Amino acid sequence: MWIRPYFRSRDQSKMIMKQKRAQEEIVGFVAIVLLVVIALVIFLGISLYKNKTSSTTESTDLYDFLSSITEYTTDCAITYEPAYLKLGELIQECSSGSSICVSGKKPCDVSLQTLSVLINSSFLISQEASTKGYEFKAIDSNNKESLSLTKGNCTGSITSSEVLLPGFPGTISVSLKLCS
Amino acid sequence: MTTYLANYSKGQMKIQQMAFALVAMMIFFGIVALFYFSIKLNSLKSDAQSLQEQEAKELVRKIASSPEFSWTSTDCSNCIDLDKVSALKSRKSYSEFWNLDFLQVEMVYPLFSGECDKSNYPQCGKITIINNENHGLELRAFVSVCRWEQDKGGYAKCGLGRISAAGINLK
């Protein structure tokens, strides 16, 4: 009766060695591919993060809008009618907080009411539209917020602009952010 | 002899394997580079388009500040005189003055509807100065639309408007 030897034959050992070497090469190749893929993912991640952080963009359209609304004639006159103030002047009056309109209304209330109407007439703002919300602010030189008007959610990319109005003292920064 | 041949074919196999690996790597990097450059090219195209748009909008603003449109009673760079614009509409000689296919001033607030004419002015929504057929993309800019209001002894009243223009010069 023929008994199978315990030790492998020389050919069998050679075959196993060959297979092992081929496996090692495949592992090496996969490792290189994995390294390249990881490097690419990191590179893409960094470039996308850079894009995300610079999501606030300055808009000349908004600058035009802000410049134009500061010239808008409101229905508030401080001294006599019809010496109606422009919206820019009314924001200055609101910031100084000393005067009141001939009609008895407060300059800040008239400013907010006018601003809300002007912004809503100019931009379609809703959750279904491309512009989801806005943020209007008027801040004086002492960092005091004299006017603030917001609507909707201000997340995602932001388009903004700012104009400066003369204040007493310093300047008043009037800014508008549109969020999409 | 047999051993020599076997070794020779093994070396060939190795070279072939390496060549295939190199080709695969090159193809892989080529695809990645193509992907990268297509993204870059796309952003470059959009940048160029936005620059072109900015330039066109500057032209629209320039038109708004031209003497034929500008409001000169107060120091206001982006205010236009609605009475002047209304007068321009009736002058046909101005239809080719700016070399445009479309030029319109519309009121945003206070909002009125309809084209302005002698019967409804100033309670109207827009004044179209030039309106050629098949005009291109309209470019718009916000402006203050001012006029002299006769009520209560007279005062300057400014509303919010938009100037729209289209034409070969704006492309």
Side-chain angles (χ1 to χ4, degrees):
Chain A
M1 194 183 159
W2 184 75
I3 301 163
R4 199 178 171 187
Y6 177 75
F7 294 106
R8 287 172 185 137
S9 68
R10 207 173 162 184
D11 289 345
Q12 271 180 325
S13 298
K14 261 188 180 179
M15 195 71 154
I16 287 163
M17 281 291 281
K18 253 187 187 178
Q19 277 175 349
K20 265 192 178 176
R21 219 180 270 167
Q23 273 176 339
E24 274 170 18
E25 277 182 25
I26 288 165
V27 168
F29 187 70
V30 168
I32 289 167
V33 170
L34 270 175
L35 271 172
V36 171
V37 168
I38 289 165
L40 268 173
V41 166
I42 290 168
F43 170 74
L44 275 174
I46 290 168
S47 57
L48 283 174
Y49 180 74
K50 267 184 187 172
N51 284 341
K52 214 175 183 181
T53 50
S54 61
S55 63
T56 305
T57 45
E58 278 284 316
S59 162
T60 46
D61 269 343
L62 279 187
Y63 181 80
D64 283 342
F65 176 74
L66 286 175
S67 307
S68 301
I69 62 167
T70 52
E71 294 294 328
Y72 180 82
T73 311
T74 62
D75 54 2
C76 172
I78 300 290
T79 48
Y80 66 94
E81 281 186 346
Y84 296 113
L85 296 185
K86 295 173 185 172
L87 186 60
E89 294 168 335
L90 203 63
I91 292 169
Q92 289 167 26
E93 289 295 335
C94 168
S95 185
S96 65
S98 55
S99 50
I100 203 151
C101 304
V102 173
S103 60
K105 289 178 184 173
K106 288 177 183 169
C108 292
D109 294 343
V110 180
S111 300
L112 285 175
Q113 196 186 342
T114 312
L115 277 165
S116 172
V117 168
L118 288 173
I119 296 170
N120 288 317
S121 306
S122 307
F123 306 102
L124 180 65
I125 298 158
S126 74
Q127 286 305 310
E128 290 78 36
S130 60
T131 311
K132 312 275 183 228
Y134 67 82
E135 199 179 289
F136 178 92
K137 272 179 186 172
I139 302 166
D140 65 14
S141 301
N142 303 321
N143 263 343
K144 191 189 134 202
E145 201 176 275
S146 50
L147 277 175
S148 177
L149 190 67
T150 52
K151 187 183 175 183
N153 285 331
C154 246
T155 50
S157 65
I158 293 167
T159 317
S160 71
S161 195
E162 180 190 30
V163 289
L164 294 173
L165 299 174
F168 308 104
T171 53
I172 300 165
S173 155
V174 174
S175 64
L176 178 66
K177 285 179 185 172
L178 289 183
C179 320
S180 48
Chain B
M1 187 66 186
T2 322
T3 321
Y4 173 74
L5 274 174
N7 280 341
Y8 181 71
S9 63
K10 201 176 167 187
Q12 264 186 334
M13 276 295 286
K14 283 264 176 195
I15 290 165
Q16 209 175 28
Q17 208 178 11
M18 179 63 87
F20 276 128
L22 279 172
V23 167
M25 291 283 271
M26 287 303 286
I27 290 168
F28 177 72
F29 282 119
I31 290 166
V32 169
L34 264 175
F35 183 67
Y36 177 76
F37 283 116
S38 69
I39 290 171
K40 274 273 163 195
L41 205 73
N42 250 349
S43 72
L44 206 69
K45 269 182 191 168
S46 68
D47 281 355
Q49 203 176 351
S50 74
L51 273 173
Q52 214 172 4
E53 222 167 273
Q54 286 290 328
E55 205 181 329
K57 280 192 174 176
E58 280 302 320
L59 267 168
V60 175
R61 280 183 211 109
K62 209 171 110 184
I63 292 166
S65 60
S66 66
E68 286 80 7
F69 280 81
S70 64
W71 171 256
T72 47
S73 297
T74 53
D75 184 26
C76 174
S77 60
N78 59 335
C79 296
I80 62 168
D81 193 328
L82 200 65
D83 293 338
K84 276 187 186 177
V85 179
S86 178
L88 270 179
K89 191 190 173 183
S90 54
R91 294 191 178 218
K92 296 290 166 202
S93 55
Y94 272 95
S95 61
E96 286 174 14
F97 183 71
W98 290 282
N99 202 11
L100 293 168
D101 295 322
F102 184 76
L103 188 57
Q104 187 184 67
V105 174
E106 61 177 319
M107 291 299 295
V108 174
Y109 193 81
L111 187 66
F112 296 107
S113 59
E115 180 72 29
C116 293
D117 53 39
K118 281 174 186 169
S119 64
N120 62 3
Y121 184 80
Q123 314 290 324
C124 49
K126 56 190 174 188
I127 301 175
T128 311
I129 301 155
I130 305 165
N131 191 10
N132 293 342
E133 276 182 19
N134 301 325
H135 59 76
L137 182 75
E138 289 170 31
L139 290 155
R140 293 167 174 177
F142 282 105
V143 284
S144 282
V145 182
C146 303
R147 62 179 295 275
W148 192 254
E149 188 71 51
Q150 301 296 332
D151 292 351
K152 298 176 183 174
Y155 64 98
K157 189 178 182 180
C158 294
L160 181 65
R162 217 181 257 147
I163 183 164
S164 312
I168 302 157
N169 279 359
L170 294 177
K171 280 174 188 171

